[in-house]
Amino acid sequence: DAKTTQPTSMDCAEGRAANLPCNHSTISGNEYVYWYRQIHSQGPQYIIHGLKNNETNEMASLIITEDRKSSTLILPHATLRDTAVYYCIVRDPGGATNKLIFGTGTLLAVQP
Amino acid sequence: SAVISQKPSRDICQRGTSLTIQCQVDSQVTMMFWYRQQPGQSLTLIATANQGSEATYESGFVIDKFPISRPNLTFSTLTVSNMSPEDSSIYLCSVENGREAFFGQGTRLTVV
């Protein structure tokens, strides 16, 4: 079973920041937080991952709380092409939870 | 990065028949993963395919129904056997590079 909970859906206005929350209260010390997204009719696409420090790349920023029980994916300037299902996944790459277990995800709808 | 090609991209099959899905990767990888995505649902891992050994199946999936071949480090096949309408799904192949997972575009299967 997925170890994360996410809202089912969210709306965001084009050009504004999209903040997607994820709860992972049972995360263990070696488990990373990964974010993927799936645009309609495509395979999932990696966005970002982190352990405990905040991370930023060309696609997004990942903010992880100090207790690591939740995180937020931030798309700084959402575009219509960012409309997708966003999956927050907890895994330990070298341990027992090294499989990608997809939860239900958040359907982000970017509105013009 | 890794480029994954899946064939066929879609198919409509009669119940009781079998379909073999091919997955080709542009680089050598140790493990290849097969997922199923039922209509309106998230991804579910079917099995992990290692070259030179039997595939490892997840709970709820059996080799007789989903036989997998892994003849070399760049290729794998998944067969959906004795199909029923409940097997109508998107089947995706995936590989990882230690940091992120890469997915094919998927095979959209409709069983009638």
Side-chain angles (χ1 to χ4, degrees):
Chain A
D1 291 339
K3 299 181 64 174
T4 63
T5 55
Q6 300 176 251
T8 303
S9 63
M10 292 181 63
D11 287 346
C12 177
E14 188 178 18
R16 303 297 293 270
N19 298 283
L20 291 93
C22 179
N23 287 320
H24 31 80
S25 58
T26 61
I27 192 170
S28 65
N30 296 325
E31 290 178 323
Y32 287 69
V33 180
Y34 287 75
W35 283 85
Y36 284 77
R37 73 179 181 184
Q38 187 175 24
I39 296 171
H40 183 61
S41 297
Q42 297 184 22
Q45 174 192 22
Y46 166 86
I47 301 173
I48 199 168
H49 77 283
L51 182 62
K52 52 185 176 180
N53 296 322
N54 298 337
E55 302 287 345
T56 296
N57 63 20
E58 65 279 4
M59 290 183 67
S61 295
L62 174 60
I63 309 298
I64 303 174
T65 58
E66 190 169 347
D67 63 7
R68 302 210 319 124
K69 293 185 177 181
S70 65
S71 60
T72 301
L73 179 75
I74 301 172
L75 308 178
H77 305 287
T79 71
L80 298 178
R81 288 178 293 181
D82 291 322
T83 292
V85 177
Y86 287 77
Y87 296 101
C88 171
I89 300 169
V90 164
R91 71 183 295 214
D92 175 2
T97 56
N98 62 348
K99 301 171 190 173
L100 276 178
I101 306 297
F102 287 82
T104 54
T106 297
L107 173 59
L108 175 68
V110 180
Q111 309 291 342
Chain B
S1 66
V3 178
I4 300 173
S5 301
Q6 275 187 243
K7 292 181 181 179
S9 59
R10 59 178 62 228
D11 207 343
I12 301 173
C13 300
Q14 295 292 324
R15 67 178 66 199
T17 63
S18 298
L19 176 71
T20 295
I21 302 167
Q22 299 180 4
C23 178
Q24 179 76 51
V25 188
D26 68 343
S27 58
Q28 294 184 340
V29 292
T30 303
M31 292 190 289
M32 297 177 75
F33 304 88
W34 286 99
Y35 289 83
R36 180 178 73 182
Q37 187 169 29
Q38 295 176 299
Q41 303 296 313
S42 184
L43 284 77
T44 302
L45 181 63
I46 298 173
T48 303
N50 291 317
Q51 195 270 333
S53 65
E54 292 282 333
T56 302
Y57 289 82
E58 298 299 307
S59 176
F61 298 95
V62 295
I63 188 172
D64 289 346
K65 176 66 177 178
F66 298 101
I68 288 171
S69 78
R70 184 76 203 276
N72 58 52
L73 291 173
T74 63
F75 187 79
S76 178
T77 67
L78 170 76
T79 299
V80 186
S81 304
N82 188 25
M83 290 183 285
S84 67
E86 291 70 36
D87 294 318
S88 296
S89 296
I90 299 173
Y91 293 86
L92 298 110
C93 171
S94 173
V95 301
E96 299 189 15
N97 69 354
R99 184 187 78 138
E100 62 185 274
F102 302 91
F103 290 82
Q105 292 295 327
T107 296
R108 184 179 296 272
L109 170 63
T110 302
V111 183
V112 297

